[in-house]
Amino acid sequence: MPRPISICLPLCTLCLSLLLLPFTACGSSTNTGATGIQATSGKPIHDAQTATQYLFVLRLLRYNMHTIGKDKVIYTQGRLTQVGDMKMSYDDEGRITKLGKLAVTYDEGKITSVGSTKIEFDKDIPQRVARIGDEKVTYNSQNLANNVGASKISYDQKLRATKIGDVPITYTDSK
């Protein structure tokens, strides 16, 4: 026997409204990449975009970088212009103002945010980054950034970052 329309109509409306819910409402996501640096949830980073953002904030991006993860580093007229598909924009003073889709803000020459991710500096040593969003930055005895949250930073003999989290970094003169 067919069901009366009065019963089916509310059920169809409920099913349709559930289909229209945004996917982010179902489950939790730590990817804040659209508005700020991606949160790591206590795990080492594994993507080149987050690695590039950390390296930028920590002032560890270098002219002769070849790849970050599998992403090629591109320079134009001596300036870093792209890592993978993440393009950089500069202001008249030569400062990066866009890191991919994320705006970079400065105060008195210091980076204060990348997108919605706030950057905090050490109160005792003002040139050192203390936090990138929720991630604490620690330093070794050589005054080099050692960890960003759970992501360890490795260096070569020339004191260039060679790995951050699970992301390897190569240089044009690397073998």
Side-chain angles (χ1 to χ4, degrees):
M1 176 174 185
R3 293 187 174 162
I5 290 182
S6 61
I7 293 174
C8 292
L9 191 56
L11 288 174
C12 289
T13 306
L14 175 65
C15 291
L16 189 58
S17 66
L18 287 174
L19 288 174
L20 296 176
L21 284 175
F23 287 108
T24 55
C26 304
S28 63
S29 172
T30 58
N31 185 356
T32 58
T35 59
I37 297 175
Q38 181 175 332
T40 63
S41 301
K43 297 178 184 160
I45 59 170
H46 59 274
D47 66 288
Q49 186 169 351
T50 304
T52 301
Q53 293 162 346
Y54 281 172
L55 292 166
F56 167 70
V57 170
L58 295 169
R59 297 177 302 279
L60 294 173
L61 286 175
R62 298 289 178 256
Y63 177 73
N64 61 343
M65 285 184 165
H66 181 63
T67 59
I68 298 175
K70 294 181 181 178
D71 289 355
K72 186 148 178 61
V73 179
I74 300 169
Y75 301 90
T76 306
Q77 297 176 353
R79 275 192 175 167
L80 173 67
T81 53
Q82 192 169 338
V83 177
D85 61 359
M86 183 171 55
K87 295 183 179 185
M88 283 52 163
S89 300
Y90 290 83
D91 65 10
D92 293 340
E93 296 177 39
R95 298 180 307 188
I96 292 178
T97 56
K98 283 277 224 184
L99 204 54
K101 295 178 183 177
L102 303 178
V104 178
T105 57
Y106 297 85
D107 183 27
E108 296 181 17
K110 289 184 182 176
I111 301 166
T112 55
S113 67
V114 176
S116 62
T117 303
K118 300 293 178 211
I119 310 304
E120 294 177 32
F121 286 84
D122 191 305
K123 289 173 181 40
D124 298 325
I125 306 172
Q127 69 272 19
R128 288 201 327 191
V129 174
R131 294 185 92 68
I132 300 174
D134 292 334
E135 306 291 344
K136 184 178 178 187
V137 180
T138 59
Y139 292 83
N140 64 20
S141 61
Q142 293 177 295
N143 208 25
L144 297 170
N146 200 27
N147 289 292
V148 179
S151 299
K152 182 175 177 12
I153 304 171
S154 301
Y155 296 90
D156 64 8
Q157 298 84 4
K158 296 179 182 178
L159 301 180
R160 302 177 302 186
T162 56
K163 191 173 185 183
I164 181 165
D166 294 332
V167 182
I169 302 159
T170 63
Y171 293 84
T172 55
D173 62 348
S174 299
K175 292 183 175 98

